[in-house]
Amino acid sequence: MSVDIATVKKIASLARIAITEEEAARIAPELDNIMGWIEQLGEVDCTGVEPMTAVIPNHLRLRDDVVTDGGVRDAVLSNAPQAEHGFFTVPKVIE
Amino acid sequence: MSDYRIQGATGEWEVVIGLEVHAQVTSNAKLFSGAATAFGAEPNTQVSLVDAAMPGMLPVPNRECIRQAVRTGMAIDAQINKWSRFDRKNYFYADLPQGYQISQLYHPLVGEGAIDISLDEKNPDASGKRIGVERIHVEQDAGKLMHDQHPTRSYVDLNRSGVALMEIVSKPDMASPAEAGAYLRKLRSILRYVGSCDGNMEEGSMRADVNVSVRKPGDPLGTRTETKNVNSVRFVMAVVEQEARRQVDVIEDGGRIVQETRLYDPDRNETRSMRSKEDAHDYRYFPDPDLLPLELDEAFLAECRESLPELPDAKRARYEGLGVTPYHAAVLTAEVETARWFDALLDAGAKAAPAANWLTSELFGALNRLGKGLEESPVSPTQAAELLGLIADGTVSGTLAKQVFEIMLETGQGAGAIVEERGLKQTSDTGAIEKVIADVMAANPNQLEQYRGGKEALFGFFVGQTMKAMGGKANPGVVNELLKKALG
Amino acid sequence: MTDLTDLGVAAIRDGVRTGGFSAREVADAFIDKVSKAKALNAFLVETPDHAIAAATEADAARAAGEALKPLAGVPIGMKDLFCTKGVASTAASHILEGFTPPYESTVSGKLWDAGAGMLGKLNMDQFAMGSSNETSAFGNVISPWRRADGGNAPLAPGGSSGGSSAAIAARLCPAATGTDTGGSIRQPAAFTGISGIKPTYGRCSRWGVVAFASSLDQAGPMARDVRDCAIMLEAMSGFDPKDSTSLELEVPKWEQGLSGNLRGKRVGIPREYRVDNMPGEIDALWQQGIDWLKDAGAEIVDVSLPHTKYALPAYYIIAPAEASSNLARYDGVRYGLRDLPDGANLQDMYAATRAAGFGPEVKRRILIGTYVLSAGFYDAYYTQAQKVRTLISRDFDRAWESCDLLLTPTAPSAAFALGEKLADPLAMYLNDVFTVPSSLAGLPAMSVPGGLDTGGLPLGLQIIGKALDEQCVLNAGLALEERAGFVARPEAWW
Ligand SMILES: [Mg+2]
Ligand SMILES: [Zn+2]
């Protein structure tokens, strides 16, 4: 499989990274090269092998249902590029 | 059970419906953070740095949310997966701070189950159907966007961001608006019995994504559309109706149905395509590397099972076994509050059948008049049981009981005290009653003559007169018996 | 009196305790060095006040006769991947420019609690993606080392913890934090002639550390010697309920347990690590390391890790996949850069912000990650890579049946010149060939300096241990250190 310019544009759009034609043209062979190298993984016979889930044996701990956080609106908004009346703001979205 | 059909120009069409219900899990704190979940707080005040997806913030799951989802699964006889895990669903939207929703795709917490519905819960003869549930998984809710606060900006409130949801996915087993409505009502009832969701649709605690497709009878499944976030039973039924009609029209006009996300506009009663979600189809799901697999042990599952309350269908059967009519049993179990009230009444010693009758007629009637809900009833189950006890042991007659109940509603006093204080006790003293009967007969010679001449309908007249003369306190059974004797 | 900046963590700690010098003197000496080393570009932010405050507290505690904290009087550098409360934290990316966390990462917080002070935030590869520090949005760090050929070509300090490695090698701080996803502590340590250990995955909390690849990211210390690494690691480790992958274990007393005596230990030499085109000097150093460990009493055994060759390609699926998702939060809404072109809608704003904010390598990895997770490819790439990861982990488990440790070179070459590998991402990725397998398996691994190549540049040896057996790794590191007698240091040209 090969990564072409159209593919690069599609994944860049999925990843929400604006790219120009020139960038797409430059990136496509680069990614194609890297993906070509990655393809060798297909050689490995993984029949009956489970995908890794926890690298070191460990159990998911569950926490108690207690309110321990929140009430920190100033901290939450303190780095916002734009905030008004206690909200973050974004360009108007039409649903 | 459904013979619902859309009449199209080319013939009849069937509707195939599946519902994905998002139910907010009842919990104090969010699924992966310690921020509160209460409804209606000031914007962004119930937001932790985790919910705002600050760099380096990590999720830690809330046990109660998992527990409630497991209990819900058990309540619909579903398979509980002791090994499940969380996946990330990746997409960009302003209400989704992380750029992904933590959800469960590949290994949900709850597998297949089923819900029995009835097209008319209060009619024991109405037809029923079993609706399959595909799965229940746990996931995060998104934040909220407000579009009407500013001419060029949308406002983002993350208070809901990270609140735990159960997504309950039905199989495409429903075939009419009525079935969809019945399923949603029954599901809501079960959730409220279990206590895993308050079922408050106005506050958004329950929303349904309505999947609709149409086909000619016998044909394979058609392409479906998904109408998102429909927030009432009525609207779900309307969506099915409108969307099925629209699809039939499109197909019959030579068009094709595209698999898409739609939005319901209740004001215009129509669905429309949702532009904003158009290209969000490639969600790139993968296991959330911040979280390990969720493994549940037997003790956890046992606690979930043991803490389950009696559920609507079982309760209904039990009530019927106690002699309650099927109709009353259905009415009493439809809402968990009613069932709890009735159970309390039984616990306080009331007999099931008369108690059911009294609750559904006298109490509901009174509350209706007062404009109050059951939870605000001025009379408690214990007080009601006392009243029912006085009726049962003949202390008060049915008529007297109504009077006593009115006084209870007004004063909050106990039935016994009222009867005692106001001398409303019914008498079975045959001597006293015989004396009154003699007086009544003496005072109404004409009627007596007519009665004895064969006009038996006048018996009631004598009963009424006797009761009236005794201020309603005579035991009607004794009065009947003595009158029969005296009138000959 | 000796130059205080020549002292390591243990020496400073002990000197402050015994009153040989004050913590304030130490802080001042390092602050001065940092302020004069701008040419290295190792620090993104200098925080002299933080270091002075910690020193003042240490001195006051000593004056009051109180017991001193474990790191009292020790000023350190903090990799800019750690969020530090009230101090700009950018992960060396424009997209986080101006971001001041209202919170402190668990690991940095533990270090402050242990009495350490912060000299500043250290430059790094952007979002920890890189092996040369050239992906930093704020200019690359320049290694204090120079080749002995008199060419003065600016060299890479390694990456991604290149600010940390350069600062320590240049004596701008006695120790620093690093993070290691596929070798980002060990490779820069090797390039600059210092030591660094990546502990077992789950030892150090990831809470408050800007995420690159969650299933691989581990914090660890970098310092001039093994003892200093042990001291730092003790302060940085420990269970954190805020990190679901944190290990609920006591922190061992690693410093106390240090011993260079390896009698009874078996050291495996993985034959698959003898890669083609490896410089002869690396091979020679490896053999030297084997001899040193033998000398320390260890038995040497030949082992096989058959899936080694697949570790890098698996890593370059798993890490970018996780990164593509972890970095989705940088969208210009809640913090950092926002680029809002005229008439842009929300999605345009995201795309413009991320295009302007991320550097080329970060974009490249996000694109790879997005690609391998996209519809239709998930199983072929991601699932397959996680299966291969299981096989790699099993390889190690099998090796542990015949040995307690593994010895390998840290990197396939000495430091290269800046710009040398920039044009070829794949060549850059191959830098991690020896460090990535143990990262994929979550194992503790350390690099210690072994010697200099003919160009006069440091070379490192890597020790890989069993899960949770950091003690054994540190001990082997100490055994190598004792025998290598590595005292070379870069001439100050900056
Ligand atoms: Mg849905
Ligand atoms: Zn959902």
Side-chain angles (χ1 to χ4, degrees):
Chain A
M1 146 169 6
S2 69
V3 183
D4 56 17
I5 295 177
T7 309
V8 170
K9 282 165 53 180
K10 195 188 128 228
I11 56 178
S13 151
L14 256 184
R16 295 299 185 275
I17 297 175
I19 54 165
T20 62
E21 280 297 326
E22 299 79 68
E23 284 171 314
R26 183 174 48 72
I27 292 168
E30 241 175 48
L31 288 199
D32 190 53
N33 188 30
I34 294 168
M35 291 314 301
W37 168 72
I38 284 174
E39 296 289 328
Q40 63 177 299
L41 269 191
E43 296 166 12
V44 185
D45 179 6
C46 290
T47 324
V49 178
E50 285 298 316
M52 172 83 77
T53 50
V55 60
I56 299 296
N58 196 355
H59 284 282
L60 184 60
R61 289 177 309 276
L62 302 173
R63 46 168 244 284
D64 292 339
D65 182 29
V66 183
V67 175
T68 55
D69 208 339
V72 290
R73 179 157 81 184
D74 289 348
V76 165
L77 296 175
S78 64
N79 281 284
Q82 194 178 59
E84 274 167 29
H85 312 302
F87 295 93
F88 295 102
T89 68
V90 294
K92 199 170 200 81
V93 178
I94 295 127
E95 281 184 325
Chain B
M1 89 193 191
S2 172
D3 40 22
Y4 183 82
R5 294 285 186 279
I6 308 271
Q7 299 301 326
T10 62
E12 288 197 334
W13 295 79
E14 283 178 357
V15 189
V16 178
I17 307 149
L19 293 183
E20 295 165 23
V21 175
H22 285 99
Q24 178 179 334
V25 179
T26 302
S27 66
N28 299 314
K30 293 183 179 179
L31 179 54
F32 293 115
S33 88
T37 58
F39 180 77
E42 285 291 298
N44 291 309
T45 53
Q46 293 182 165
V47 179
S48 80
L49 300 173
V50 176
D51 308 318
M54 291 284 167
M57 293 300 98
L58 297 170
V60 180
N62 180 336
R63 180 183 300 105
E64 179 64 9
C65 300
I66 306 301
R67 178 177 172 270
Q68 290 293 20
V70 168
R71 294 174 76 245
T72 304
M74 288 172 168
I76 60 161
D77 269 326
Q79 184 199 323
I80 307 300
N81 295 321
K82 289 170 76 176
W83 193 99
S84 67
R85 68 170 307 171
F86 291 101
D87 301 304
R88 292 185 182 176
K89 177 183 183 179
N90 295 282
Y91 65 94
F92 288 89
Y93 204 58
D95 62 8
L96 190 72
Q98 297 166 123
Y100 54 83
Q101 177 196 33
I102 306 180
S103 180
Q104 297 187 302
L105 176 71
Y106 299 108
H107 300 281
L109 183 58
V110 178
E112 288 193 23
I115 294 177
D116 290 323
I117 63 166
S118 159
L119 268 195
D120 178 357
E121 289 92 342
K122 298 186 181 167
N123 174 4
D125 298 324
S127 56
K129 188 174 179 182
R130 171 159 289 200
I131 307 297
V133 170
E134 185 78 47
R135 57 190 282 152
I136 302 177
H137 64 253
V138 179
E139 63 184 23
Q140 298 176 295
D141 202 353
K144 213 175 144 192
L145 291 186
M146 265 154 280
H147 308 299
D148 49 4
Q149 315 274 315
H150 190 281
T152 60
R153 293 172 193 163
S154 291
Y155 281 13
V156 186
D157 173 14
L158 299 180
N159 278 350
R160 287 195 71 90
S161 165
V163 165
L165 301 176
M166 292 179 277
E167 183 173 332
I168 303 151
V169 183
S170 85
K171 295 194 171 172
D173 286 353
M174 288 156 275
S176 70
E179 288 183 14
Y183 170 80
L184 196 55
R185 277 195 303 271
K186 184 63 175 286
L187 173 59
R188 181 173 176 274
S189 163
I190 293 172
L191 296 176
R192 286 162 50 77
Y193 266 79
V194 171
S196 56
C197 171
D198 66 19
N200 191 332
M201 298 191 86
E202 298 80 58
E203 293 180 2
S205 295
M206 258 181 100
R207 291 112 66 185
D209 297 345
V210 187
N211 289 285
V212 175
S213 64
V214 296
R215 65 175 169 192
K216 286 283 176 67
D219 279 2
L221 284 177
T223 304
R224 65 184 167 87
T225 61
E226 180 179 9
T227 304
K228 289 266 190 202
N229 287 333
V230 185
N231 64 358
S232 82
V233 173
R234 198 158 54 86
F235 290 167
V236 164
M237 294 169 69
V239 163
V240 172
E241 210 173 309
Q242 295 310 314
E243 186 52 20
R245 182 77 248 178
R246 186 191 70 83
Q247 291 184 10
V248 167
D249 290 348
V250 167
I251 299 168
E252 290 191 334
D253 285 351
R256 265 182 55 238
I257 302 303
V258 275
Q259 186 167 343
E260 63 175 353
T261 302
R262 299 179 69 85
L263 204 64
Y264 178 63
D265 181 344
D267 296 333
R268 312 170 85 168
N269 188 27
E270 61 182 28
T271 67
R272 61 181 159 83
S273 186
M274 227 173 142
R275 280 190 293 159
S276 58
K277 301 251 164 146
E278 251 164 26
D279 72 341
H281 292 310
D282 195 342
Y283 291 124
R284 289 159 286 134
Y285 278 99
F286 78 110
D288 190 324
D290 285 331
L291 294 162
L292 299 151
L294 173 60
E295 293 163 276
L296 303 178
D297 60 29
E298 278 307 331
F300 183 90
L301 296 177
E303 190 285 325
C304 288
R305 206 169 286 119
E306 279 154 22
S307 66
L308 272 188
E310 185 180 37
L311 294 162
D313 293 346
K315 214 178 257 296
R316 192 164 156 173
R318 178 166 63 87
Y319 290 171
E320 287 183 26
L322 292 173
V324 174
T325 65
Y327 169 76
H328 280 153
V331 171
L332 290 171
T333 52
E335 288 288 342
V336 66
E337 283 81 7
T338 316
R340 282 203 192 115
W341 217 97
F342 185 65
D343 279 339
L345 198 49
L346 297 183
D347 286 348
K351 289 268 178 306
N357 200 4
W358 178 85
L359 195 156
T360 51
S361 52
E362 300 301 322
L363 181 62
F364 276 178
L367 291 174
N368 232 337
R369 255 190 292 125
L370 296 171
K372 287 187 169 173
L374 190 55
E375 66 288 354
E376 310 161 291
S377 167
V379 171
S380 73
T382 328
Q383 287 175 313
E386 187 189 356
L387 175 62
L388 287 164
L390 294 178
I391 300 172
D393 69 10
T395 309
V396 292
S397 64
T399 328
L400 266 184
K402 284 184 209 288
Q403 276 183 50
V404 175
F405 180 47
E406 285 307 321
I407 299 166
M408 288 167 74
L409 287 170
E410 269 166 44
T411 64
Q413 259 184 307
I418 292 168
V419 168
E420 201 59 51
E421 209 171 274
R422 313 208 176 189
L424 293 175
K425 213 174 215 160
Q426 145 177 296
T427 177
S428 304
D429 174 345
T430 49
I433 296 172
E434 275 167 348
K435 189 175 169 297
V436 172
I437 287 175
D439 290 349
V440 168
M441 285 165 68
N444 298 283
N446 291 344
Q447 284 82 349
L448 184 61
E449 200 184 305
Q450 286 176 32
Y451 177 82
R452 287 184 169 156
K455 201 169 177 194
E456 290 190 7
L458 279 169
F459 186 76
F461 166 80
F462 287 102
V463 174
Q465 290 299 307
T466 309
M467 291 300 281
K468 194 175 162 195
M470 295 206 64
K473 285 177 258 177
N475 181 322
V478 177
V479 168
N480 271 350
E481 205 176 300
L482 294 178
L483 259 177
K484 262 181 203 148
K485 237 192 266 169
L487 294 171
Chain C
M1 197 169 105
T2 53
D3 184 346
L4 291 173
T5 62
D6 281 342
L7 301 179
V9 172
I12 293 171
R13 174 195 65 185
D14 297 345
V16 168
R17 267 184 203 171
T18 56
F21 39 78
S22 70
R24 180 60 195 259
E25 288 173 284
V26 175
D28 286 343
F30 280 108
I31 289 166
D32 183 54
K33 275 283 191 86
V34 169
S35 71
K36 288 174 178 156
K38 310 273 192 226
L40 297 176
N41 200 30
F43 281 83
L44 293 175
V45 183
E46 293 171 26
T47 55
D49 292 349
H50 193 288
I52 288 169
T56 307
E57 194 192 304
D59 288 336
R62 189 179 134 74
E66 293 165 15
L68 290 190
K69 294 174 177 174
L71 286 172
V74 181
I76 61 165
M78 186 61 58
K79 185 177 183 179
D80 203 29
L81 205 61
F82 294 84
C83 289
T84 42
K85 190 171 183 170
V87 178
S89 304
T90 63
S93 180
H94 277 308
I95 209 153
L96 272 174
E97 225 171 332
F99 175 62
T100 306
Y103 53 96
E104 186 76 47
S105 82
T106 298
V107 163
S108 55
K110 277 174 172 291
L111 286 164
W112 312 150
D113 287 347
M118 176 165 63
L119 290 161
K121 300 296 292 285
L122 292 161
N123 203 351
M124 52 182 280
D125 276 301
Q126 188 166 157
F127 282 104
M129 297 176 188
S131 305
S132 66
N133 238 272
E134 288 164 288
T135 72
S136 168
F138 307 111
N140 50 263
V141 177
I142 296 173
S143 172
W145 289 86
R146 288 193 161 167
R147 284 190 183 124
D149 61 6
N152 288 346
L155 301 177
S160 65
S161 311
S164 308
S165 66
I168 294 163
R171 288 3 184 215
L172 309 185
C173 54
T177 55
T179 62
D180 192 314
T181 303
S184 281
I185 287 175
R186 292 160 284 166
Q187 184 257 20
F191 275 20
T192 56
I194 64 165
S195 297
I197 181 168
K198 175 198 94 73
T200 309
Y201 181 82
R203 276 282 193 210
C204 289
S205 170
R206 294 184 297 112
W207 195 88
V209 186
V210 174
F212 162 14
S214 313
S215 76
L216 295 153
D217 295 345
Q218 259 304 286
M222 301 167 77
R224 291 220 310 280
D225 66 25
V226 172
R227 176 171 301 271
D228 288 0
C229 284
I231 295 168
M232 284 284 288
L233 186 58
E234 271 184 55
M236 293 165 70
S237 299
F239 173 61
D240 182 2
K242 292 189 287 191
D243 175 357
S244 292
T245 58
S246 174
L247 294 169
E248 200 164 356
L249 296 170
E250 285 292 306
V251 179
K253 303 248 176 279
W254 287 305
E255 187 195 9
Q256 208 177 297
L258 277 179
S259 156
N261 184 342
L262 299 185
R263 237 170 309 160
K265 295 289 177 197
R266 290 166 303 170
V267 177
I269 309 300
R271 66 179 82 109
E272 290 79 7
Y273 279 54
R274 285 189 199 286
V275 295
D276 298 337
N277 308 324
M278 192 158 72
E281 291 174 294
I282 303 266
D283 218 14
L285 176 71
W286 193 3
Q287 186 54 52
Q288 177 67 75
I290 292 170
D291 295 341
W292 284 331
L293 293 184
K294 261 191 225 166
D295 183 60
E299 181 194 335
I300 305 297
V301 296
D302 180 51
V303 298
S304 172
L305 300 169
H307 296 91
T308 298
K309 135 172 206 217
Y310 300 106
L312 263 188
Y315 174 85
Y316 275 95
I317 288 173
I318 294 163
E322 293 182 8
S324 70
S325 178
N326 282 336
L327 271 60
R329 64 187 58 197
Y330 305 102
D331 60 8
V333 176
R334 294 164 317 284
Y335 41 78
L337 184 75
R338 166 180 289 195
D339 190 358
L340 183 60
D342 275 349
N345 67 23
L346 176 72
Q347 301 293 343
D348 299 336
M349 180 187 91
Y350 289 156
T353 298
R354 293 162 61 79
F358 292 136
E361 182 60 27
V362 174
K363 288 181 193 171
R364 185 178 293 130
R365 297 204 196 185
I366 290 175
L367 292 180
I368 294 171
T370 304
Y371 182 72
V372 299
L373 289 177
S374 63
F377 294 149
Y378 171 75
D379 276 324
Y381 288 122
Y382 189 80
T383 309
Q384 175 76 359
Q386 289 288 29
K387 286 178 178 172
V388 170
R389 193 175 180 185
T390 299
L391 292 173
I392 287 166
S393 187
R394 278 190 205 161
D395 282 356
F396 282 107
D397 288 342
R398 209 154 289 143
W400 302 139
E401 290 167 11
S402 60
C403 64
D404 308 293
L405 290 164
L406 299 168
L407 178 73
T408 79
T410 306
S413 74
F416 44 85
L418 289 166
E420 207 173 288
K421 300 198 178 185
L422 208 49
D424 183 357
L426 255 186
M428 190 71 94
Y429 297 171
L430 292 172
N431 252 287
D432 297 332
V433 63
F434 299 140
T435 49
V436 154
S438 45
S439 291
L440 288 172
L443 302 174
M446 170 165 217
S447 179
V448 293
L452 299 177
D453 71 355
T454 48
L457 296 182
L459 296 173
L461 285 167
Q462 175 178 234
I463 301 132
I464 301 167
K466 297 178 190 171
L468 305 177
D469 200 2
E470 284 83 3
Q471 189 71 64
C472 203
V473 172
L474 289 162
N475 286 356
L478 183 64
L480 291 172
E481 180 181 281
E482 285 168 353
R483 285 158 184 83
F486 186 88
V487 290
R489 56 185 288 183
E491 293 272 351
W493 52 263
W494 51 89

